[in-house]
Amino acid sequence: MALHPSISARLSLIEDLPSWREALADPAVQLRLQEYRTWKAAPALPSVETSDESIPGPHGPIAVRVYRPPSASQRPRPGLVWVHGGGWVFGDLDMHEADWTAREVCARADAVVVSVDYRLAVDGVTYPVPHYDVVAGVQWVRENAAELGIEPARITVGGASAGANLAAGAVLRLRDCDNWLPATLVLAYATMHSVSPPLTPALAEAFAPLPRMVRILPEDVAEMTDNYLDGTPDPHGYALPAGAVLDGLCPTLLLDAEYDDLRASSEAFAATLVEAGVPARHVTVPGVLHGFLNLPSSVEPVDHALAVLAETVTTAHAGELALDQGERG
């Protein structure tokens, strides 16, 4: 389908800008960027309880934010460990993809959500530091499930974009080193390859008119990956899970944007999961761009994606996941 009208109406604000990195460094375009990223008609966010915590990690304290449903139920709830994206170089607990998503899933799934603020790959920080921060975040939730009000067998781990990469890498390491897996893994518009698989000719033609700012081309992936790895070897695929042994991985939900160059990476990863015998559900969210979890739930495809994510968290238990290959939201 065509881009959602509320998205296409904004593209004129950024159509002549070369890249997010250059645009964010240019004071002359900040008002345009602010207008592009502001949704005046965004609905009120769900009312949930939040608390900011500092947890121990191998490279120093790690900030996490815990989201709890407002109801006073004493029964253990499902839990979600959530990891924001940002190309490994930007993002925090307050970005919409982190905070809005956590609040929506907390309320919709009646779940405890823990958002992990890993160290970014800037100022000399590289892999495996962000990776180990996320591993430590998942371990902290697992070890403190009772205090957090989470049922241990119902922990989901997930993330978006680079956060999906980090979530998958952390789960793979915990599978190998701790002999532990979450109930489900959730990967939203994930980047899993050092070299992006090519788009199909039909997708390449459909994406060609999009502004450069919303494209993630192979050279962009190479730049992000080179910065993240900085030459560090990745023999087990913990940094780039497309190269990992996926056998025995937990059931996985993959959410892709229809208009996203990284869709090729996620689709290839989904196929590899199926080949490895891993239960996988792949949902293509129509009419949206990469990063759609930064948009409000008033955008219908985003609302549907949040509903699928929340349902997955709610029903996750001992490796159960409904299968529907190639589903569109």
Side-chain angles (χ1 to χ4, degrees), residues 77-103:
R77 290 181 163 95
L80 169 65
V81 185
W82 184 248
V83 190
H84 68 78
W88 299 292
V89 295
F90 68 89
D92 54 35
L93 296 180
D94 293 321
M95 69 184 292
H96 295 169
E97 187 177 78
D99 186 62
W100 287 10
T101 303
R103 291 176 185 273

PDB file of all heavy atoms in Angstrom, residues 77-103:
ATOM      1  N   ARG A  77       3.177 -11.076  36.688  1.00  0.00           N
ATOM      2  CA  ARG A  77       2.779 -10.631  35.358  1.00  0.00           C
ATOM      3  C   ARG A  77       3.816 -11.077  34.327  1.00  0.00           C
ATOM      4  O   ARG A  77       4.953 -11.393  34.668  1.00  0.00           O
ATOM      5  CB  ARG A  77       2.670  -9.115  35.321  1.00  0.00           C
ATOM      6  CG  ARG A  77       1.503  -8.530  36.107  1.00  0.00           C
ATOM      7  CD  ARG A  77       1.516  -7.022  35.939  1.00  0.00           C
ATOM      8  NE  ARG A  77       0.256  -6.410  36.294  1.00  0.00           N
ATOM      9  CZ  ARG A  77      -0.038  -5.895  37.488  1.00  0.00           C
ATOM     10  NH1 ARG A  77       0.874  -5.932  38.442  1.00  0.00           N
ATOM     11  NH2 ARG A  77      -1.209  -5.340  37.726  1.00  0.00           N
ATOM     12  N   PRO A  78       3.439 -11.027  33.052  1.00  0.00           N
ATOM     13  CA  PRO A  78       4.468 -11.185  32.031  1.00  0.00           C
ATOM     14  C   PRO A  78       5.425 -10.007  32.076  1.00  0.00           C
ATOM     15  O   PRO A  78       5.083  -8.925  32.578  1.00  0.00           O
ATOM     16  CB  PRO A  78       3.672 -11.211  30.720  1.00  0.00           C
ATOM     17  CG  PRO A  78       2.375 -10.542  31.042  1.00  0.00           C
ATOM     18  CD  PRO A  78       2.088 -10.845  32.480  1.00  0.00           C
ATOM     19  N   GLY A  79       6.622 -10.203  31.563  1.00  0.00           N
ATOM     20  CA  GLY A  79       7.625  -9.139  31.565  1.00  0.00           C
ATOM     21  C   GLY A  79       8.240  -8.960  30.196  1.00  0.00           C
ATOM     22  O   GLY A  79       8.345  -9.910  29.413  1.00  0.00           O
ATOM     23  N   LEU A  80       8.642  -7.727  29.908  1.00  0.00           N
ATOM     24  CA  LEU A  80       9.343  -7.418  28.662  1.00  0.00           C
ATOM     25  C   LEU A  80      10.604  -6.630  28.989  1.00  0.00           C
ATOM     26  O   LEU A  80      10.537  -5.587  29.650  1.00  0.00           O
ATOM     27  CB  LEU A  80       8.457  -6.589  27.724  1.00  0.00           C
ATOM     28  CG  LEU A  80       9.159  -5.981  26.488  1.00  0.00           C
ATOM     29  CD1 LEU A  80       9.647  -7.076  25.543  1.00  0.00           C
ATOM     30  CD2 LEU A  80       8.219  -5.017  25.757  1.00  0.00           C
ATOM     31  N   VAL A  81      11.756  -7.114  28.534  1.00  0.00           N
ATOM     32  CA  VAL A  81      12.995  -6.340  28.557  1.00  0.00           C
ATOM     33  C   VAL A  81      13.109  -5.684  27.195  1.00  0.00           C
ATOM     34  O   VAL A  81      13.184  -6.373  26.177  1.00  0.00           O
ATOM     35  CB  VAL A  81      14.222  -7.232  28.837  1.00  0.00           C
ATOM     36  CG1 VAL A  81      15.471  -6.361  28.964  1.00  0.00           C
ATOM     37  CG2 VAL A  81      14.016  -8.060  30.099  1.00  0.00           C
ATOM     38  N   TRP A  82      13.124  -4.344  27.157  1.00  0.00           N
ATOM     39  CA  TRP A  82      13.044  -3.615  25.891  1.00  0.00           C
ATOM     40  C   TRP A  82      14.318  -2.802  25.658  1.00  0.00           C
ATOM     41  O   TRP A  82      14.859  -2.201  26.587  1.00  0.00           O
ATOM     42  CB  TRP A  82      11.833  -2.690  25.892  1.00  0.00           C
ATOM     43  CG  TRP A  82      11.619  -1.981  24.590  1.00  0.00           C
ATOM     44  CD1 TRP A  82      11.754  -0.655  24.331  1.00  0.00           C
ATOM     45  CD2 TRP A  82      11.216  -2.586  23.348  1.00  0.00           C
ATOM     46  NE1 TRP A  82      11.468  -0.385  23.023  1.00  0.00           N
ATOM     47  CE2 TRP A  82      11.135  -1.544  22.391  1.00  0.00           C
ATOM     48  CE3 TRP A  82      10.923  -3.892  22.954  1.00  0.00           C
ATOM     49  CZ2 TRP A  82      10.786  -1.792  21.062  1.00  0.00           C
ATOM     50  CZ3 TRP A  82      10.573  -4.128  21.640  1.00  0.00           C
ATOM     51  CH2 TRP A  82      10.497  -3.092  20.719  1.00  0.00           C
ATOM     52  N   VAL A  83      14.784  -2.769  24.394  1.00  0.00           N
ATOM     53  CA  VAL A  83      16.044  -2.121  24.035  1.00  0.00           C
ATOM     54  C   VAL A  83      15.788  -1.191  22.852  1.00  0.00           C
ATOM     55  O   VAL A  83      15.398  -1.640  21.771  1.00  0.00           O
ATOM     56  CB  VAL A  83      17.125  -3.161  23.668  1.00  0.00           C
ATOM     57  CG1 VAL A  83      18.480  -2.471  23.532  1.00  0.00           C
ATOM     58  CG2 VAL A  83      17.198  -4.277  24.704  1.00  0.00           C
ATOM     59  N   HIS A  84      16.029   0.096  23.045  1.00  0.00           N
ATOM     60  CA  HIS A  84      15.803   1.081  21.983  1.00  0.00           C
ATOM     61  C   HIS A  84      16.870   0.997  20.899  1.00  0.00           C
ATOM     62  O   HIS A  84      17.954   0.446  21.093  1.00  0.00           O
ATOM     63  CB  HIS A  84      15.777   2.499  22.569  1.00  0.00           C
ATOM     64  CG  HIS A  84      17.110   2.960  23.103  1.00  0.00           C
ATOM     65  ND1 HIS A  84      18.132   3.403  22.295  1.00  0.00           N
ATOM     66  CD2 HIS A  84      17.582   3.062  24.374  1.00  0.00           C
ATOM     67  CE1 HIS A  84      19.170   3.752  23.028  1.00  0.00           C
ATOM     68  NE2 HIS A  84      18.866   3.543  24.296  1.00  0.00           N
ATOM     69  N   GLY A  85      16.573   1.599  19.749  1.00  0.00           N
ATOM     70  CA  GLY A  85      17.525   1.661  18.652  1.00  0.00           C
ATOM     71  C   GLY A  85      18.249   2.997  18.593  1.00  0.00           C
ATOM     72  O   GLY A  85      18.280   3.755  19.551  1.00  0.00           O
ATOM     73  N   GLY A  86      18.820   3.267  17.406  1.00  0.00           N
ATOM     74  CA  GLY A  86      19.567   4.501  17.224  1.00  0.00           C
ATOM     75  C   GLY A  86      20.910   4.283  16.559  1.00  0.00           C
ATOM     76  O   GLY A  86      21.828   5.092  16.717  1.00  0.00           O
ATOM     77  N   GLY A  87      21.029   3.197  15.797  1.00  0.00           N
ATOM     78  CA  GLY A  87      22.274   2.943  15.076  1.00  0.00           C
ATOM     79  C   GLY A  87      23.474   2.740  15.976  1.00  0.00           C
ATOM     80  O   GLY A  87      24.611   2.907  15.538  1.00  0.00           O
ATOM     81  N   TRP A  88      23.233   2.383  17.222  1.00  0.00           N
ATOM     82  CA  TRP A  88      24.255   2.196  18.256  1.00  0.00           C
ATOM     83  C   TRP A  88      24.922   3.508  18.684  1.00  0.00           C
ATOM     84  O   TRP A  88      25.801   3.500  19.539  1.00  0.00           O
ATOM     85  CB  TRP A  88      25.358   1.216  17.837  1.00  0.00           C
ATOM     86  CG  TRP A  88      24.900  -0.167  17.553  1.00  0.00           C
ATOM     87  CD1 TRP A  88      24.409  -1.089  18.440  1.00  0.00           C
ATOM     88  CD2 TRP A  88      24.895  -0.822  16.280  1.00  0.00           C
ATOM     89  NE1 TRP A  88      24.110  -2.254  17.798  1.00  0.00           N
ATOM     90  CE2 TRP A  88      24.401  -2.128  16.472  1.00  0.00           C
ATOM     91  CE3 TRP A  88      25.286  -0.425  14.994  1.00  0.00           C
ATOM     92  CZ2 TRP A  88      24.258  -3.043  15.445  1.00  0.00           C
ATOM     93  CZ3 TRP A  88      25.141  -1.333  13.952  1.00  0.00           C
ATOM     94  CH2 TRP A  88      24.638  -2.625  14.179  1.00  0.00           C
ATOM     95  N   VAL A  89      24.484   4.657  18.114  1.00  0.00           N
ATOM     96  CA  VAL A  89      25.185   5.910  18.420  1.00  0.00           C
ATOM     97  C   VAL A  89      24.293   6.983  19.032  1.00  0.00           C
ATOM     98  O   VAL A  89      24.798   8.012  19.491  1.00  0.00           O
ATOM     99  CB  VAL A  89      25.886   6.489  17.164  1.00  0.00           C
ATOM    100  CG1 VAL A  89      26.990   5.571  16.689  1.00  0.00           C
ATOM    101  CG2 VAL A  89      24.883   6.774  16.051  1.00  0.00           C
ATOM    102  N   PHE A  90      22.980   6.791  19.037  1.00  0.00           N
ATOM    103  CA  PHE A  90      22.127   7.749  19.737  1.00  0.00           C
ATOM    104  C   PHE A  90      20.905   7.018  20.282  1.00  0.00           C
ATOM    105  O   PHE A  90      20.674   5.851  20.003  1.00  0.00           O
ATOM    106  CB  PHE A  90      21.718   8.928  18.830  1.00  0.00           C
ATOM    107  CG  PHE A  90      20.783   8.567  17.707  1.00  0.00           C
ATOM    108  CD1 PHE A  90      19.413   8.584  17.874  1.00  0.00           C
ATOM    109  CD2 PHE A  90      21.284   8.234  16.456  1.00  0.00           C
ATOM    110  CE1 PHE A  90      18.553   8.264  16.836  1.00  0.00           C
ATOM    111  CE2 PHE A  90      20.437   7.919  15.399  1.00  0.00           C
ATOM    112  CZ  PHE A  90      19.069   7.940  15.600  1.00  0.00           C
ATOM    113  N   GLY A  91      20.116   7.748  21.074  1.00  0.00           N
ATOM    114  CA  GLY A  91      18.951   7.161  21.713  1.00  0.00           C
ATOM    115  C   GLY A  91      19.133   7.057  23.215  1.00  0.00           C
ATOM    116  O   GLY A  91      20.261   6.982  23.712  1.00  0.00           O
ATOM    117  N   ASP A  92      18.015   7.069  23.932  1.00  0.00           N
ATOM    118  CA  ASP A  92      18.043   6.974  25.394  1.00  0.00           C
ATOM    119  C   ASP A  92      16.678   6.501  25.880  1.00  0.00           C
ATOM    120  O   ASP A  92      15.795   6.182  25.079  1.00  0.00           O
ATOM    121  CB  ASP A  92      18.430   8.323  26.021  1.00  0.00           C
ATOM    122  CG  ASP A  92      17.537   9.476  25.554  1.00  0.00           C
ATOM    123  OD1 ASP A  92      16.325   9.248  25.337  1.00  0.00           O
ATOM    124  OD2 ASP A  92      18.050  10.602  25.401  1.00  0.00           O
ATOM    125  N   LEU A  93      16.502   6.483  27.185  1.00  0.00           N
ATOM    126  CA  LEU A  93      15.258   5.975  27.759  1.00  0.00           C
ATOM    127  C   LEU A  93      14.067   6.883  27.489  1.00  0.00           C
ATOM    128  O   LEU A  93      12.916   6.455  27.648  1.00  0.00           O
ATOM    129  CB  LEU A  93      15.416   5.786  29.275  1.00  0.00           C
ATOM    130  CG  LEU A  93      16.431   4.744  29.720  1.00  0.00           C
ATOM    131  CD1 LEU A  93      16.485   4.677  31.244  1.00  0.00           C
ATOM    132  CD2 LEU A  93      16.119   3.367  29.138  1.00  0.00           C
ATOM    133  N   ASP A  94      14.322   8.141  27.101  1.00  0.00           N
ATOM    134  CA  ASP A  94      13.230   9.088  26.877  1.00  0.00           C
ATOM    135  C   ASP A  94      12.783   9.150  25.420  1.00  0.00           C
ATOM    136  O   ASP A  94      11.752   9.768  25.130  1.00  0.00           O
ATOM    137  CB  ASP A  94      13.646  10.489  27.327  1.00  0.00           C
ATOM    138  CG  ASP A  94      13.838  10.576  28.826  1.00  0.00           C
ATOM    139  OD1 ASP A  94      13.045   9.951  29.563  1.00  0.00           O
ATOM    140  OD2 ASP A  94      14.782  11.260  29.273  1.00  0.00           O
ATOM    141  N   MET A  95      13.546   8.568  24.497  1.00  0.00           N
ATOM    142  CA  MET A  95      13.119   8.628  23.103  1.00  0.00           C
ATOM    143  C   MET A  95      11.797   7.875  22.946  1.00  0.00           C
ATOM    144  O   MET A  95      11.483   6.944  23.699  1.00  0.00           O
ATOM    145  CB  MET A  95      14.192   8.065  22.172  1.00  0.00           C
ATOM    146  CG  MET A  95      14.415   6.577  22.267  1.00  0.00           C
ATOM    147  SD  MET A  95      15.778   5.985  21.216  1.00  0.00           S
ATOM    148  CE  MET A  95      15.086   6.249  19.563  1.00  0.00           C
ATOM    149  N   HIS A  96      10.990   8.292  21.995  1.00  0.00           N
ATOM    150  CA  HIS A  96       9.656   7.719  21.851  1.00  0.00           C
ATOM    151  C   HIS A  96       9.690   6.209  21.679  1.00  0.00           C
ATOM    152  O   HIS A  96       8.850   5.487  22.237  1.00  0.00           O
ATOM    153  CB  HIS A  96       8.948   8.371  20.666  1.00  0.00           C
ATOM    154  CG  HIS A  96       8.687   9.835  20.851  1.00  0.00           C
ATOM    155  ND1 HIS A  96       8.270  10.658  19.830  1.00  0.00           N
ATOM    156  CD2 HIS A  96       8.790  10.631  21.947  1.00  0.00           C
ATOM    157  CE1 HIS A  96       8.126  11.888  20.278  1.00  0.00           C
ATOM    158  NE2 HIS A  96       8.446  11.907  21.547  1.00  0.00           N
ATOM    159  N   GLU A  97      10.635   5.736  20.891  1.00  0.00           N
ATOM    160  CA  GLU A  97      10.751   4.295  20.644  1.00  0.00           C
ATOM    161  C   GLU A  97      10.977   3.512  21.930  1.00  0.00           C
ATOM    162  O   GLU A  97      10.592   2.342  22.025  1.00  0.00           O
ATOM    163  CB  GLU A  97      11.907   4.068  19.682  1.00  0.00           C
ATOM    164  CG  GLU A  97      12.076   2.656  19.184  1.00  0.00           C
ATOM    165  CD  GLU A  97      13.219   2.604  18.185  1.00  0.00           C
ATOM    166  OE1 GLU A  97      14.390   2.605  18.628  1.00  0.00           O
ATOM    167  OE2 GLU A  97      12.937   2.597  16.974  1.00  0.00           O
ATOM    168  N   ALA A  98      11.585   4.161  22.921  1.00  0.00           N
ATOM    169  CA  ALA A  98      11.799   3.526  24.218  1.00  0.00           C
ATOM    170  C   ALA A  98      10.613   3.765  25.141  1.00  0.00           C
ATOM    171  O   ALA A  98       9.949   2.828  25.587  1.00  0.00           O
ATOM    172  CB  ALA A  98      13.090   4.041  24.857  1.00  0.00           C
ATOM    173  N   ASP A  99      10.319   5.041  25.419  1.00  0.00           N
ATOM    174  CA  ASP A  99       9.332   5.381  26.440  1.00  0.00           C
ATOM    175  C   ASP A  99       7.903   5.120  25.987  1.00  0.00           C
ATOM    176  O   ASP A  99       7.125   4.489  26.704  1.00  0.00           O
ATOM    177  CB  ASP A  99       9.499   6.846  26.841  1.00  0.00           C
ATOM    178  CG  ASP A  99       8.614   7.230  28.007  1.00  0.00           C
ATOM    179  OD1 ASP A  99       8.787   6.645  29.100  1.00  0.00           O
ATOM    180  OD2 ASP A  99       7.737   8.101  27.835  1.00  0.00           O
ATOM    181  N   TRP A 100       7.535   5.580  24.796  1.00  0.00           N
ATOM    182  CA  TRP A 100       6.168   5.356  24.333  1.00  0.00           C
ATOM    183  C   TRP A 100       5.870   3.873  24.189  1.00  0.00           C
ATOM    184  O   TRP A 100       4.812   3.397  24.611  1.00  0.00           O
ATOM    185  CB  TRP A 100       5.941   6.053  22.987  1.00  0.00           C
ATOM    186  CG  TRP A 100       5.837   7.530  23.050  1.00  0.00           C
ATOM    187  CD1 TRP A 100       6.104   8.336  24.123  1.00  0.00           C
ATOM    188  CD2 TRP A 100       5.446   8.408  21.984  1.00  0.00           C
ATOM    189  NE1 TRP A 100       5.913   9.660  23.787  1.00  0.00           N
ATOM    190  CE2 TRP A 100       5.512   9.733  22.481  1.00  0.00           C
ATOM    191  CE3 TRP A 100       5.073   8.207  20.660  1.00  0.00           C
ATOM    192  CZ2 TRP A 100       5.189  10.837  21.687  1.00  0.00           C
ATOM    193  CZ3 TRP A 100       4.753   9.311  19.870  1.00  0.00           C
ATOM    194  CH2 TRP A 100       4.808  10.600  20.377  1.00  0.00           C
ATOM    195  N   THR A 101       6.809   3.141  23.607  1.00  0.00           N
ATOM    196  CA  THR A 101       6.588   1.706  23.408  1.00  0.00           C
ATOM    197  C   THR A 101       6.432   0.999  24.746  1.00  0.00           C
ATOM    198  O   THR A 101       5.539   0.151  24.920  1.00  0.00           O
ATOM    199  CB  THR A 101       7.743   1.092  22.609  1.00  0.00           C
ATOM    200  OG1 THR A 101       7.875   1.781  21.367  1.00  0.00           O
ATOM    201  CG2 THR A 101       7.499  -0.383  22.342  1.00  0.00           C
ATOM    202  N   ALA A 102       7.291   1.330  25.697  1.00  0.00           N
ATOM    203  CA  ALA A 102       7.223   0.686  27.006  1.00  0.00           C
ATOM    204  C   ALA A 102       5.882   0.961  27.688  1.00  0.00           C
ATOM    205  O   ALA A 102       5.267   0.057  28.278  1.00  0.00           O
ATOM    206  CB  ALA A 102       8.375   1.161  27.882  1.00  0.00           C
ATOM    207  N   ARG A 103       5.429   2.211  27.632  1.00  0.00           N
ATOM    208  CA  ARG A 103       4.146   2.547  28.263  1.00  0.00           C
ATOM    209  C   ARG A 103       2.979   1.832  27.596  1.00  0.00           C
ATOM    210  O   ARG A 103       2.066   1.327  28.276  1.00  0.00           O
ATOM    211  CB  ARG A 103       3.935   4.064  28.210  1.00  0.00           C
ATOM    212  CG  ARG A 103       4.896   4.852  29.099  1.00  0.00           C
ATOM    213  CD  ARG A 103       4.733   6.354  28.944  1.00  0.00           C
ATOM    214  NE  ARG A 103       5.727   7.070  29.718  1.00  0.00           N
ATOM    215  CZ  ARG A 103       5.585   7.415  30.997  1.00  0.00           C
ATOM    216  NH1 ARG A 103       4.462   7.092  31.630  1.00  0.00           N
ATOM    217  NH2 ARG A 103       6.534   8.059  31.635  1.00  0.00           N
TER     218      ARG A 103
END
